Amino acid sequence: MAILGDIRKQTWLLVVVIGVAMLAFVAGDLFSENSVVKRIFTGDPNEVGNINGESISVAEFINAQSIASSNQNNLSQNQVSQQVWNNLITKKIILAQAEKAGLEVSDDEVWSFMAKQYGMVDAAELKTQIGQLKSQAEQGIQGTGQAYQNFIMMFEEAKPNILRQKYMELVTMGVATTSKEAEFQQVANIQNATIDYAFASYDDLKKKYKVEITDDEINAYVKKYPKFYESEATVDLSYVYFPATPSAEDDQNALNDIKKYLTGTVVVDKVNNINDTIPSFASASNDSIYVSKYSDRPFVGQFITRKEIQQYAAQLPADYVDFLTTGSVGQVGGPFKTGNAYQLVKISKSKEIADSISSSHILISYKGTGNETVTRTRDEAKVLADSIVAQANAGNFTALVNQYSEDPGSKVKNGSIGWTSRSAQNIAPEYLQFLNTHKTGEIGLTESRFGFHIIKIDGVKNTTGYQFANIIKDITPSQATSDKNFSDARTFAQDVQGKSLNDFANLAQKKGFNYNTAENVTRYYTQPLVDPSTGFSNEKDNDILRWAFNKDTKPGSSFLFTTTNEDQIIVHLNAKTSKGLASAKSVRKEVEPILIHQKLVEEVNKKLGASPSLDAFASNFGAVKGNSSITFGSAQIAGKGAEPNVAGAAFGLKPGSVSKAIKGNTGVYVIQVKTVAEAPKVEDATFLVDQIEQQTKQKLTQQLIPSIIMSSDITDSRMEKLDRQQM
């Protein structure tokens, strides 16, 4: 009770204690991973980007990236990431613009759109087929589950595509060209001026004036056009790479290894005390088993003709082609070196195979196969085709063609499509497969994108086909070679640790290593860091850039990266540039010529003074004189191409006037206007209205969305959010 009394007397202490406890509780929440305070300083942890206040969540981005990666195995991780980012930005822009315009897309519209994509007449047929696919997926039929999920994904992705189409149609409906605009254009196309001019190329002027452009001048130009020169954060890298390539010794070992199959060999297994006798390739009784046992690649049992071999002759060594086209059955040729492998080739077998096949067919089409007059479903077509096959024979085939076939081209020839090469490219592959697997007189059924074909083999022209058995030994780096490669890379990495860029570059060049640089590289740079033609794997590019852009990686740092095939690359971080306006260094190549041309024009004007003349320009600057007629519409100068600035000056000056120096596309002009024709009276220019309108619509369609994106407020926090998760 005494304690309670003390507490009552010291209520201020209780308030303080409770306050501290509450503060601790609230503070714990305030600074938690998803707290409001933390979001203020670091952003929403569940968001990788934001466009005009519309969030792009981590889950949304990763899901889209996963789908894109699975569908595009040939793209690098950075290429996929950037493609997904661009697609999401475009998608959200379109959705926002469509919503403002009150546009929507119904499921029925999507079904109709998808039906057209699949070449079907209407949505009803597509719904039937997808319903069947869903049923098969629920029954667990192999492959149908993934196919159904792919369709659902494409269905959802179709909505923004349709919205974009609707939005662009709505916007372009507002494009109109008046007859007055058409008249102005016609006048510009017809009215001409005649001019004398003097011209000096920029290259010649640069020889006379050593114009230099400073970084400050480039920065000032960039600040005038900030939207065009906004830059992401970039890094400059230097690197030395050690590709995991076989040594000369590895090459010789592969050659020696394959040569042993030319003669019988005894292999001693000292561990199990077993001797294994390997017969020569030539004496092998079963080539497919021999190849499967001793080759680095599987046996291919296909028969091919020597005429077909000639199609690939340019891609193979001459002695290899000579053996394939002249050798006899049972003979072994080689070793031949093809790429990074050695081969022994045995002409295993020969047999007569079809070289060309004559056939006739009855086509039964259905909705979605391109024949818009047909209304039957695929199931109905299959029933009809089966009934025709059941009754077809050599005697009644022509009559059945005339009664049922829906191929007008062959129907008039009793169903005949003539002779077809066994490797023809201009025929449905399913049809060709049937031809290559059936004999003269046989009748059967196959299906292609055109419908069901009841096919009769009318004749076969045979030729000799050969089966080739290949023992292939890949030339790969030995463990000793890989170890030396890693040792060289590690030693270099240790030697340059903490060293300057000059030390890094000098040591690499002194050792004769593969040294190169990559400048102005963004986090999601889509080009390979190392030229793929070197054979170097680029699988570590994403890891390299994640390391380089990490806030703890400082300029001067270096790191060794190893790929799965044991390529080694040591990367040195030369410099980091924060997001903002592009640096002078990064845009010098683009901006410097613009500023040089401006300065050269100023130098010419300064020299020519207040009373310029063609003669003064020619005598002082070596300008070449000429003359031309020019219209405002095309702005073409004979022998020089289009020069809009010159055309503008020609129609802006009075006859007899001389211009100041004019900045042209390839050099500087000074012109004297001789005549300007009267503007013609245009009676009717309506024929130009549609042309101008279509050009405007096309330009609008191409530039509208990119323009909206450029003017949007976009935050890209992929680097901060995703890289942090993966570190």
Side-chain angles (χ1 to χ4, degrees):
M1 295 297 291
I3 293 174
L4 286 175
D6 289 340
I7 290 175
R8 290 191 186 101
K9 292 176 184 177
Q10 301 182 40
T11 53
W12 63 271
L13 181 61
L14 184 61
V15 171
V16 171
V17 171
I18 293 173
V20 170
M22 287 294 293
L23 180 60
F25 176 78
V26 172
D29 180 64
L30 285 176
F31 294 98
S32 67
E33 186 63 31
N34 290 299
S35 70
V36 174
V37 171
K38 189 160 187 177
R39 290 186 186 204
I40 291 173
F41 292 103
T42 65
D44 187 343
N46 300 314
E47 181 180 278
V48 295
N50 191 291
I51 175 164
N52 298 328
E54 179 74 18
S55 174
I56 300 175
S57 71
V58 171
E60 179 182 12
F61 182 83
I62 290 177
N63 183 53
Q65 187 171 249
S66 175
I67 293 170
S69 296
S70 63
N71 292 332
Q72 302 181 83
N73 296 327
N74 59 321
L75 297 184
S76 70
Q77 189 172 345
N78 274 2
Q79 287 172 327
V80 170
S81 181
Q82 196 57 36
Q83 183 185 85
V84 167
W85 174 258
N86 292 339
N87 289 344
L88 286 173
I89 290 294
T90 302
K91 178 180 175 180
K92 290 187 180 293
I93 284 286
I94 291 168
L95 291 175
Q97 295 299 317
E99 185 178 355
K100 287 180 184 177
L103 298 175
E104 295 179 347
V105 175
S106 68
D107 283 352
D108 286 343
E109 288 178 291
V110 180
W111 278 108
S112 296
F113 175 82
M114 294 294 289
K116 288 180 181 178
Q117 300 302 304
Y118 285 104
M120 297 180 182
V121 176
D122 55 36
E125 183 182 358
L126 178 60
K127 287 181 179 180
T128 299
Q129 293 201 17
I130 297 303
Q132 293 171 352
L133 181 63
K134 182 181 180 183
S135 176
Q136 292 170 347
E138 290 170 347
Q139 295 171 37
I141 297 175
Q142 186 176 4
T144 57
Q146 185 60 53
Y148 180 69
Q149 290 303 317
N150 288 344
F151 175 80
I152 295 299
M153 180 186 70
M154 289 188 292
F155 189 93
E156 290 303 316
E157 287 300 315
K159 289 183 178 179
N161 290 333
I162 300 170
L163 266 180
R164 179 175 188 148
Q165 184 178 329
K166 278 188 166 186
Y167 177 66
M168 295 311 301
E169 287 173 355
L170 180 66
V171 172
T172 54
M173 283 174 63
V175 174
T177 301
T178 66
S179 58
K180 204 65 180 175
E181 288 177 275
E183 288 177 16
F184 285 146
Q185 183 62 54
Q186 182 68 337
V187 168
N189 291 342
I190 297 173
Q191 185 184 19
N192 71 76
T194 57
I195 60 171
D196 289 331
Y197 66 83
F199 168 81
S201 72
Y202 291 124
D203 288 339
D204 288 340
L205 290 172
K206 281 191 287 186
K207 294 174 185 175
K208 185 175 181 66
Y209 292 99
K210 303 298 181 184
V211 178
E212 293 184 356
I213 305 298
T214 66
D215 284 354
D216 287 343
E217 289 173 310
I218 292 177
N219 288 332
Y221 182 86
V222 166
K223 287 178 182 177
K224 285 177 65 177
Y225 308 100
K227 271 293 181 182
F228 291 96
Y229 292 102
E230 287 180 347
S231 174
E232 300 175 48
T234 61
V235 293
D236 293 344
L237 305 173
S238 291
Y239 56 87
V240 172
Y241 62 95
F242 298 77
T245 53
S247 65
E249 185 178 355
D250 295 332
D251 188 294
Q252 187 61 48
N253 287 339
L255 179 59
N256 293 339
D257 187 27
I258 202 169
K259 281 182 177 179
K260 70 186 181 184
Y261 300 105
L262 291 172
T263 58
T265 306
V266 176
V267 178
V268 179
D269 183 348
K270 294 182 179 179
V271 175
N272 298 306
N273 196 26
I274 297 173
N275 292 344
D276 183 19
T277 301
I278 301 175
S280 68
F281 192 19
S283 64
S285 58
N286 189 313
D287 292 336
S288 64
I289 292 176
Y290 194 95
V291 168
S292 299
K293 191 171 183 180
Y294 300 116
S295 177
D296 290 344
R297 314 277 178 86
F299 176 78
V300 178
Q302 181 182 359
F303 283 81
I304 59 175
T305 68
R306 283 177 165 165
K307 183 171 67 175
E308 290 172 322
I309 291 170
Q310 290 295 346
Q311 297 175 14
Y312 305 98
Q315 304 169 31
L316 299 170
D319 55 346
Y320 192 3
V321 175
D322 183 62
F323 173 76
L324 295 177
T325 54
T326 62
S328 56
V329 174
Q331 189 176 355
V332 174
F336 304 109
K337 190 173 185 179
T338 55
N340 290 321
Y342 282 105
Q343 292 193 38
L344 291 178
V345 185
K346 182 178 182 180
I347 304 178
S348 184
K349 297 175 184 177
S350 68
K351 70 175 183 179
E352 291 299 297
I353 61 174
D355 182 47
S356 57
I357 306 98
S358 176
S359 65
S360 301
H361 81 137
I362 300 166
L363 175 65
I364 304 299
S365 51
Y366 50 86
K367 283 195 296 185
T369 56
N371 188 340
E372 296 185 2
T373 63
V374 175
T375 59
R376 72 173 70 91
T377 66
R378 180 184 178 279
D379 289 343
E380 291 169 341
K382 180 67 164 61
V383 171
L384 176 58
D386 285 339
S387 70
I388 296 171
V389 172
Q391 59 180 302
N393 57 54
N396 66 5
F397 198 83
T398 298
L400 293 173
V401 168
N402 292 325
Q403 182 178 355
Y404 293 108
S405 185
E406 290 164 341
D407 176 12
S410 65
K411 189 171 185 176
V412 296
K413 297 182 287 186
N414 296 324
S416 174
I417 66 165
W419 291 94
T420 303
S421 166
R422 67 187 298 270
S423 56
Q425 300 294 315
N426 60 343
I427 192 169
E430 301 87 355
Y431 196 106
L432 186 64
Q433 174 70 14
F434 185 96
L435 298 186
N436 284 327
T437 54
H438 289 77
K439 299 176 182 178
T440 300
E442 290 185 351
I443 297 174
L445 179 68
T446 192
E447 183 183 10
S448 78
R449 62 188 177 90
F450 301 105
F452 291 99
H453 305 264
I454 298 93
I455 303 172
K456 178 167 71 75
I457 305 297
D458 296 324
V460 176
K461 292 179 181 177
N462 287 333
T463 189
T464 304
Y466 296 88
Q467 184 185 75
F468 298 95
N470 301 67
I471 297 290
I472 300 175
K473 290 297 177 183
D474 293 320
I475 307 167
T476 57
S478 64
Q479 189 59 53
T481 299
S482 295
D483 289 346
K484 183 180 184 305
N485 195 49
F486 176 70
S487 177
D488 289 344
R490 183 178 58 186
T491 300
F492 178 80
Q494 291 170 344
D495 290 344
V496 298
Q497 190 66 40
K499 298 293 180 66
S500 68
L501 171 59
N502 284 339
D503 290 337
F504 184 91
N506 290 337
L507 182 59
Q509 291 164 354
K510 180 181 177 181
K511 296 280 189 179
F513 294 151
N514 297 304
Y515 170 80
N516 214 326
T517 60
E519 297 183 340
N520 302 317
V521 178
T522 60
R523 170 61 184 87
Y524 295 99
Y525 188 64
T526 56
Q527 298 302 312
L529 291 177
V530 182
D531 184 351
S533 66
T534 62
F536 190 87
S537 169
N538 292 107
E539 68 178 66
K540 287 293 180 180
D541 282 6
N542 185 55
D543 292 340
I544 291 169
L545 294 178
R546 186 191 305 134
W547 166 81
F549 280 93
N550 187 290
K551 61 183 177 62
D552 295 328
T553 306
K554 308 300 182 186
S557 302
S558 58
F559 200 85
L560 169 64
F561 296 87
T562 303
T563 68
T564 52
N565 68 340
E566 299 189 6
D567 290 336
Q568 313 292 335
I569 182 168
I570 299 93
V571 184
H572 184 277
L573 178 59
N574 305 340
K576 276 184 171 180
T577 304
S578 301
K579 180 179 179 179
L581 289 180
S583 67
K585 178 183 176 183
S586 66
V587 297
R588 176 171 285 276
K589 190 174 181 180
E590 176 187 348
V591 175
E592 186 175 51
I594 298 171
L595 298 181
I596 287 176
H597 296 170
Q598 288 178 353
K599 281 194 173 185
L600 290 173
V601 170
E602 291 167 4
E603 289 292 340
V604 172
N605 278 327
K606 189 187 302 181
K607 183 72 175 179
L608 296 181
S611 302
S613 70
L614 273 60
D615 289 337
F617 188 31
S619 61
N620 285 291
F621 297 93
V624 177
K625 291 182 178 181
N627 58 75
S628 180
S629 64
I630 190 169
T631 65
F632 192 81
S634 68
Q636 292 286 330
I637 296 178
K640 299 293 183 185
E643 289 288 2
N645 289 346
V646 175
F651 284 92
L653 294 171
K654 294 179 180 179
S657 301
V658 178
S659 72
K660 290 186 175 183
I662 301 168
K663 186 174 75 168
N665 289 327
T666 58
V668 178
Y669 291 84
V670 174
I671 69 169
Q672 182 171 20
V673 180
K674 295 170 67 178
T675 64
V676 177
E678 287 289 328
K681 184 178 180 181
V682 178
E683 299 293 341
D684 183 15
T686 53
F687 69 96
L688 279 175
V689 170
D690 286 343
Q691 179 184 327
I692 297 171
E693 198 165 291
Q694 288 305 314
Q695 290 172 347
T696 306
K697 286 182 177 180
Q698 184 178 10
K699 188 175 181 180
L700 182 64
T701 301
Q702 293 170 346
Q703 298 181 4
L704 179 60
I705 298 300
S707 297
I708 296 174
I709 291 174
M710 181 178 280
S711 62
S712 295
D713 181 13
I714 299 174
T715 302
D716 181 357
S717 50
R718 285 176 292 167
M719 184 167 63
E720 294 85 351
K721 303 298 169 56
L722 298 180
D723 285 357
R724 187 186 304 160
Q725 291 180 2
Q726 296 168 10
M727 290 301 289

